[in-house]
Amino acid sequence: MTAAVPGSPLGPVVVIVTAAGVPAEALSAVRAADVVYCAPGVGLTVPGAEPAPERSELLGVAERKSVVLLAADRADQAAQALVAAGARVVEQPTPPLQRAVEVMDTLRSPGGCPWDGEQTHESLRRYLLEEAYELLEAIESGDRRALREELGDVLLQVLFHARIAAEHADDPFDIDVVATELVDKLIRRHPQLFAGAEAAPTAQAQEENWHRLKQQQMGRTSTLDGVALGQPAAALAGKIVERVLRADLPEDLLSVDGPGAELFAHAARAMRAEREPEGELRAAAKRFAALVRRAEQAARADGADPLTMGADGWRRYWPRSEEEADTASA
C-alpha cells in the first residue's frame, strides 16, 4: 500500500470505474472523501462529484484534503498524476474470461505472435478436432487435472475462431456476439424457465421439448437437417439413427445395402439399446489396445522382442482375459 500524501490522512485514491459501476471496495473511500472528482470518460453520475481539475490544482487539493478520483482507466492523465503522487488504485480485477479475450487480441494484433497471426478458420480445423478428442480422453479417464487443461484448450479454439471472425471484411462478429446468440438460444429453448411455460415433468420430456423447439425455431423441414455429415462414421450413423427413431421410424426399416451395412446395423442396435456407437467402438478399441500392450509386456518380461515374436509369440503371451489386461494397465 502506498504512503499517504502529506496533509491528507487518507491519501488520494484512484478508483477505476467500469460498466459494472464503482468497485465495492472503493465505496467507503468515496463516502469518506472530502472531494470526489470524475475524470473525463466516466460513464457514471455520482452525486456531489466534480469534474477533475488540471494537474497542479488536483495535486494541490490532494495535499490538503482526502481526494477520490473516479477514472475510466489507468491511462487517464489525472489518474496518472495522482498515482505518481502516491495514490492507491482500487479496481475490479479483470475477469479471467475477459483476460483470455484480451490475450488472444494481443496474439493476433500487429506485433503479436507471428504464428497466431497467420492462422485461419481452415488452418485451425485439425487443432479443434485434436483438442476435442483430448478433452474426451480426459473425461473418460476421470483425470480432473487433465479435464481442466483440456477444457482450456477447447476454450482457446473458441476464442481463436471468434477473433478471426471479428477480422472478416464483410461479415465480422466477435466473441460477445457468439455469447449473446448462445444466451438467446438457451432462453428460447427453456421457455419453462424464462417465459412462464409449463415445466417438463422429466429430463426425457425436457429433451424432447428441446428438440421440438429446435426444429421449429430453425425452420427445419427434414428429420436429418442439422446433422453434421463430416463427423466420424460411427458417430454419424448413431446420430442419424437417433434422429429417425425420435421421428418414430419403424425399427424394421433401419437397414441399408452395401459393404458398410453390417457396421450400420451394429450402430443401429447400439442406439436402440441407448448406447452411443462411437463411444462403444472407442471403448472396445481401447480394451483391445490394453490386450496388445499386456501381451507385449509379458513378452519383454520373458526376454522376447514383441516386434519380431510372430504369430506363435502373440498366441503364447496373449492375456487369458480382458480383466487381466485391465489389471495390468491400471
Side-chain angles (χ1 to χ4, degrees):
M1 182 173 176
T2 56
V5 173
S8 171
L10 296 179
V13 178
V14 173
V15 178
I16 306 300
V17 178
T18 66
V22 176
E25 180 187 349
L27 291 178
S28 59
V30 171
R31 295 180 181 126
D34 296 324
V35 184
V36 177
Y37 290 124
C38 275
V42 174
L44 185 69
T45 300
V46 178
E50 307 173 13
E54 52 86 26
R55 177 189 176 94
S56 60
E57 181 181 348
L58 175 64
L59 293 177
V61 174
E63 290 180 352
R64 305 186 306 274
K65 301 179 179 181
S66 59
V67 170
V68 168
L69 173 71
L70 305 178
D73 55 58
R74 287 174 173 262
D76 177 82
Q77 293 184 352
Q80 290 182 341
L82 285 180
V83 170
R88 70 183 178 98
V89 179
V90 179
E91 61 184 332
Q92 293 281 15
T94 302
L97 279 176
Q98 180 181 334
R99 181 60 180 150
V101 173
E102 293 172 353
V103 170
M104 176 52 63
D105 288 342
T106 299
L107 295 174
R108 284 285 295 185
S109 297
C113 174
W115 186 89
D116 289 321
E118 292 179 354
Q119 300 312 302
T120 64
H121 291 304
E122 291 72 21
S123 70
L124 291 173
R125 288 184 302 175
R126 70 183 184 94
Y127 299 107
L128 177 60
L129 290 174
E130 288 173 3
E131 300 301 353
Y133 281 120
E134 289 177 9
L135 173 58
L136 184 59
E137 178 68 20
I139 293 171
E140 292 178 345
S141 68
D143 187 332
R144 300 288 294 177
R145 184 198 62 77
L147 180 62
R148 290 194 299 272
E149 180 179 354
E150 300 306 336
L151 281 170
D153 288 343
V154 171
L155 175 60
L156 169 61
Q157 296 304 308
V158 175
L159 296 174
F160 218 146
H161 282 281
R163 168 62 199 222
I164 293 172
E167 300 169 11
H168 195 278
D170 302 319
D171 183 23
F173 61 85
D174 60 14
I175 191 67
D176 287 334
V177 174
V178 173
T180 298
E181 293 194 2
L182 171 61
V183 170
D184 290 344
K185 178 167 65 176
L186 291 174
I187 291 174
R188 289 196 309 271
R189 303 279 172 81
H190 293 86
Q192 79 280 10
L193 297 177
F194 302 102
E198 183 178 353
T202 64
Q204 181 179 354
Q206 174 57 41
E207 183 181 10
E208 292 172 356
N209 285 346
W210 171 280
H211 291 297
R212 177 179 52 79
L213 289 169
K214 188 175 183 179
Q215 291 285 101
Q216 294 173 353
Q217 293 167 1
M218 302 191 71
R220 291 175 172 173
T221 58
S222 169
T223 301
L224 300 182
D225 282 352
V227 173
L229 299 180
Q231 60 186 299
L236 174 61
K239 191 66 177 179
I240 290 174
V241 171
E242 177 188 38
R243 288 287 191 91
V244 298
L245 288 179
R246 190 184 303 135
D248 296 324
L249 180 84
E251 292 191 9
D252 61 287
L253 298 181
L254 285 174
S255 62
V256 292
D257 296 324
E262 185 175 352
L263 293 173
F264 184 84
H266 282 297
R269 283 196 295 271
M271 287 304 300
R272 291 201 304 272
E274 299 184 352
R275 310 281 297 204
E276 193 270 311
E278 183 76 12
E280 292 294 307
L281 179 57
R282 185 170 52 252
K286 291 171 71 173
R287 289 196 299 271
F288 182 79
L291 293 171
V292 171
R293 292 184 181 279
R294 178 68 181 100
E296 292 174 332
Q297 180 181 350
R300 282 192 293 268
D302 202 27
D305 184 353
L307 300 179
T308 60
M309 63 184 177
D312 290 341
W314 281 111
R315 293 186 184 282
R316 176 182 179 184
Y317 297 112
W318 197 253
R320 292 184 297 275
S321 66
E322 291 188 11
E323 289 74 14
E324 180 181 340
D326 291 339
T327 302
S329 61

